[in-house]
Amino acid sequence: MGFVRVGGVPHHVVVEGSGPVCVLSAGLAMSWFDWDPVVPLLAPHRTVVRFDRPGHGLSGPAVVAPSAAGEAHRIAGVLDALALDGPATVVGHSIAAFHAEAFARLHPARTAGVVLVDASVEEHARVPAAPAVRTALARAAAAALSAAGAPAALGPPVRRAVVRLSRPGHAPDPAPAALVRRCYATSRVLAGALLENTHYRAVAAELLALRERHPLPPGVPVTVLAAPASARWTARQRALADLLGARFEAVPDTGHLMMLDQPRVLAGAVLAAGDRPRAHAPGA
């Protein structure tokens, strides 16, 4: 466990295992330790990289608003800082699925596979107006809540409640209490979550534009894993897989936090994506 500096921000990273590289990026307001159940299943076969985006986990605060291209380049920057220049399987959960797909489109030579875990889906997103004003409002809200003591008082219990509501049968949050308090009782993580949430639709709209200009690399395996939230959600996830030419798998007995509920299924998908041979474009 350590820190690397990318874009002027210290990023908390954890690297374990050996072999081909896979990168795990969690959803909005989640942390590196949310991948704990998956890592022991991957580390004997993969070099597993976990990192916290700015304002998440233990990373420094965000200095710029998130964008699809910016998050794709962030993944590349983390790998560069770790001197891992070979192709990587990129795993994106929830909103981080936007980032994983953008990475594959903008860094095709560095992509060995993509696994989207109960991915955020926005079929018709448009860039909201006044992004700078939205950023300022998010930062002001975070500052006001922090001044009122909200992170220390509410951060850890809200984290626990969100995890419970996201799991089948309201299963408890397995994260250690000390880690939850260390991260979620801070104004830094509150501000990071508000900033990402504020720019969610802008990032989604940017990804739609990237799809028009930057095709996925030929032959790179893509997998879409979907939680059975509803028939409509499953249909949207299947449509995403069809759009990307991806393998689709509806995973039973899981909520949105599949890494906690079905770590073996998720790890199996990551290993399978990395093991599948990559086809070459005609004439390549």
Side-chain angles (χ1 to χ4, degrees), residues 6-279:
V6 178
V9 177
H11 287 62
H12 173 241
V13 298
V14 181
V15 183
E16 296 155 283
S18 61
V21 176
C22 68
V23 181
L24 310 179
S25 188
L28 175 69
M30 305 304 286
S31 299
W32 86 96
F33 53 76
D34 291 305
W35 295 102
D36 278 355
V38 179
V39 173
L41 304 173
L42 293 175
H45 315 284
R46 297 287 184 271
T47 299
V48 184
V49 177
R50 293 182 273 174
F51 75 99
D52 294 321
R53 295 189 299 281
H56 288 62
L58 299 180
S59 290
V63 296
V64 298
S67 67
E71 296 308 317
H73 299 328
R74 187 184 313 284
I75 295 170
V78 168
L79 293 174
D80 287 342
L82 297 171
L84 297 172
D85 56 1
T89 298
V90 185
V91 185
H93 165 249
S94 192
I95 193 175
F98 292 159
H99 313 157
E101 183 185 338
F103 176 86
R105 293 182 182 280
L106 294 174
H107 297 275
R110 303 187 71 170
T111 306
V114 180
V115 179
L116 307 181
V117 184
D118 215 38
S120 295
V121 180
E122 295 295 336
E123 298 90 345
H124 308 291
R126 295 183 178 180
V127 179
V133 173
R134 292 172 178 271
T135 297
L137 289 174
R139 294 193 188 281
L145 289 168
S146 297
L154 300 176
V158 168
R159 145 82 196 202
R160 296 293 196 195
V162 169
V163 171
R164 280 182 175 272
L165 290 172
S166 300
R167 303 192 66 192
H170 295 174
D173 181 0
L179 286 181
V180 170
R181 176 152 292 279
R182 186 179 178 188
C183 296
Y184 293 89
T186 67
S187 58
R188 173 179 46 79
V189 168
L190 171 63
L194 286 175
L195 190 63
E196 278 206 348
N197 188 62
T198 296
H199 291 280
Y200 169 84
R201 289 201 174 276
V203 173
E206 184 186 352
L207 179 62
L208 295 183
L210 287 177
R211 287 175 181 168
E212 297 293 327
R213 302 192 303 269
H214 299 277
L216 286 171
V220 165
V222 181
T223 300
V224 172
L225 302 177
S230 67
R232 181 173 181 270
W233 180 247
T234 299
R236 293 177 72 192
Q237 293 284 307
R238 190 183 295 276
L240 174 65
D242 290 343
L243 175 70
L244 302 179
R247 183 180 76 87
F248 173 79
E249 183 176 353
V251 181
D253 303 319
T254 183
H256 186 53
L257 302 179
M258 197 178 298
M259 63 278 276
L260 303 182
D261 299 326
Q262 290 286 7
R264 292 191 176 277
V265 174
L266 200 161
V270 175
L271 294 174
D275 286 340
R276 287 162 63 184
R278 177 172 172 174

